[in-house]
């Protein structure tokens, strides 16, 4: 993809959308109502979990039988692009913005206080200052979070109890508020007996070197739901495989890509639930500021057998009853 260097806010906004590639799709069902809607879809970066959330969001509209035009935009990991995308949606007068990730939601909220915004894949809406309260968000925004309250504590417990991990390596983008919240939660969960070694990155190009910098210092990697790192997860997987370091991840899609294990859920489910909220806003006039932010359900442990072998991990018989397995 070409990078375009532009001047002028209006020109930048228009050309960013062209560079990202505008993908417009319509969905309608037989017997659907006369009303049609345009929804701006903004996603910070492409990776399987965020893609699944977007697919789940659209599925809710398909099942509702609504006629919708989706204006799909990906910011390619650039916050400036994200802001330009949101501003373009406002200028176009879309009926609703679907913001997939914390940076996307923040950009959308910065761009409008009037158009309804429904987010997903946001780890901590409170700390990110997206909502005033989880039960009553206020303003024009609500959505679904990707932070299950037990995911981090369960992961740390498995690491320490099952693999006797004493040091955990975390690669993350310190500029992503959701990542900082999760790193702090890991530090709180480990207590005094386990150390957390951090390696911060700014772009996906930094991920491999950051992971390599932790070799010899850690017993396991833990890659949380950080969009920058997850978009370059294969770099960490390569280091983990070469060095026989167990790689724990924060989402089930990352297990399928080659992570060893995760306590997670399906991102398609939280996207679908966000879609149901959006349907209610558009068709029933529901106020997003009065709709409680929803947490993910169905937390489960998934283990990748092939990844375990690559990382020199012996799968214990008792894990067979604790986890679902993929290869």
């Amino acid at each position: 993809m070409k990078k375009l260097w532009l001047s002028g806010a209006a020109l930048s906004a228009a050309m960013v959308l062209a560079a990202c590639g505008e993908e417009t799709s319509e969905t309608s069902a037989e017997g659907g109502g006369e009303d049609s809607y345009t929804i701006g879809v903004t996603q910070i970066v492409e990776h399987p979990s965020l893609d699944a959330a977007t697919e789940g969001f659209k599925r809710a509209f398909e099942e509702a039988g609504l006629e919708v035009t989706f204006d799909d935009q990906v910011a390619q990991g650039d916050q400036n692009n994200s802001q330009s995308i949101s501003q373009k949606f406002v200028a176009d007068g879309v009926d609703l913005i679907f913001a997939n990730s914390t940076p996307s939601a923040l950009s959308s909220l910065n761009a409008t206080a009037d158009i309804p915004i429904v987010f997903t894949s946001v780890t901590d809406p409170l700390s990110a200052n997206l909502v005033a309260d989880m039960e009553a968000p206020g303003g024009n925004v609500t959505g679904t979070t990707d932070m299950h309250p037990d995911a981090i504590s369960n992961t740390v417990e498995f690491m320490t109890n099952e693999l006797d991990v004493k040091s955990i390596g975390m690669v993350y983008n310190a500029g992503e508020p959701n990542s900082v919240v999760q790193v702090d939660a890991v530090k709180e969960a480990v207590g005094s007996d386990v150390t957390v070694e951090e390696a911060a990155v700014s772009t996906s190009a930094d991920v491999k070197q950051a992971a390599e910098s932790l070799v010899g210092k850690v017993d396991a990697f833990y890659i949380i739901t950080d969009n920058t790192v997850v978009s370059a997860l294969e770099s960490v997987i390569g280091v983990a495989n070469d060095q026989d370091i167990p790689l724990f991840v924060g989402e089930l899609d990352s297990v399928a890509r080659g992570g060893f294990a995760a306590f997670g859920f399906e991102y398609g489910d939280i996207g679908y639930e966000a879609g149901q909220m959006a349907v209610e806003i558009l068709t029933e006039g529901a106020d997003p500021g009065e709709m409680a932010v929803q947490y993910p359900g169905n937390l489960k442990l998934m283990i990748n057998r092939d990844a375990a072998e690559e990382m020199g991990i012996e799968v214990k018989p008792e894990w067979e009853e604790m986890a679902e397995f993929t290869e």
Side-chain angles (χ1 to χ4, degrees):
M1 179 176 295
K2 292 182 179 179
K3 280 189 175 179
L4 301 179
W5 298 95
L6 305 165
S7 61
L11 181 60
S12 175
M15 293 304 293
V16 161
L17 296 178
C20 291
E22 183 171 342
E23 300 174 7
T24 302
S25 60
E26 294 185 1
T27 177
S28 60
E30 293 184 7
E34 295 180 358
D35 291 337
S36 62
Y37 305 96
T38 300
I39 296 177
V41 177
T42 176
Q43 184 171 313
I44 190 63
V45 71
E46 291 178 301
H47 64 65
S49 294
L50 294 185
D51 295 345
T54 294
E55 292 170 5
F57 179 83
K58 293 180 178 179
R59 179 161 48 88
F61 281 88
E62 293 172 1
E63 293 184 4
L66 299 178
E67 183 178 337
V68 181
T69 298
F70 294 104
D71 185 354
D72 295 282
Q73 301 296 333
V74 179
Q76 307 300 339
D78 189 317
Q79 188 62 45
N80 291 327
N81 286 355
S82 182
Q83 194 64 57
S84 296
I85 289 167
S86 297
Q87 291 167 348
K88 181 66 161 53
F89 288 159
V90 174
D92 290 344
V94 298
D95 296 301
L96 182 141
I97 296 174
F98 173 54
N100 191 357
S101 76
T102 300
S104 301
L106 287 170
S107 294
S108 300
L109 193 58
N110 286 337
T112 180
D114 300 315
I115 297 173
I117 300 166
V118 177
F119 59 73
T120 196
S121 311
V122 171
T123 300
D124 191 339
L126 278 174
S127 294
N129 294 318
L130 285 168
V131 301
D133 184 271
M134 295 292 278
E135 292 298 319
N140 61 322
V141 61
T142 189
T144 58
T145 174
D146 64 357
M147 182 67 164
H148 191 287
D150 298 325
I152 285 177
S153 59
N154 286 1
T155 303
V156 170
E157 182 178 354
F158 188 92
M159 286 183 184
T160 56
N161 291 349
E162 300 296 329
L163 295 180
D164 196 29
V165 168
K166 298 298 183 184
S167 57
I168 300 171
M170 303 191 71
V171 181
Y172 69 103
N173 183 346
E176 288 196 24
N178 62 305
S179 300
V180 175
V181 167
Q182 291 179 81
V183 171
D184 289 343
V186 172
K187 291 177 181 177
E188 184 176 348
V190 299
S192 58
D193 296 331
V194 179
T195 60
V196 176
E197 299 288 340
E198 304 172 39
V201 300
S202 298
T203 70
S204 58
D206 305 327
V207 171
K208 185 174 188 293
Q209 183 176 0
E212 290 173 339
S213 74
L214 296 173
V215 173
K217 301 177 182 178
V218 302
D219 300 322
F221 288 123
Y222 187 8
I223 301 303
I224 49 172
T225 57
D226 180 292
N227 294 305
T228 302
V229 181
V230 173
S231 67
L233 186 66
E234 282 70 25
S235 297
V236 186
I237 292 170
V239 176
N241 289 345
D242 290 343
Q243 301 295 327
D244 286 346
I245 300 174
L247 171 57
F248 289 81
V249 288
E251 51 208 339
L252 302 184
D253 293 306
S254 293
V255 177
R257 289 168 68 184
F260 162 58
F263 282 90
F265 52 88
E266 300 294 342
Y267 268 69
D269 291 343
I270 61 171
Y272 177 77
E273 188 162 8
Q276 290 181 311
M277 299 171 82
V279 168
E280 188 175 348
I281 291 167
L282 292 175
T283 63
E284 300 178 20
D287 183 350
E290 297 179 358
M291 302 174 73
V293 176
Q294 300 298 310
Y295 292 92
N298 304 317
L299 187 70
K300 60 184 177 182
L301 172 62
M302 182 172 285
I303 293 175
N304 186 321
R305 291 186 190 275
D306 289 344
E309 183 176 353
E310 288 283 352
M311 297 169 195
I313 305 166
E314 182 180 353
V315 175
K316 299 179 181 180
E318 56 265 33
W319 295 354
E320 300 287 346
E321 297 182 2
M322 297 171 58
E324 294 183 14
F325 285 81
T326 185
E327 298 181 1

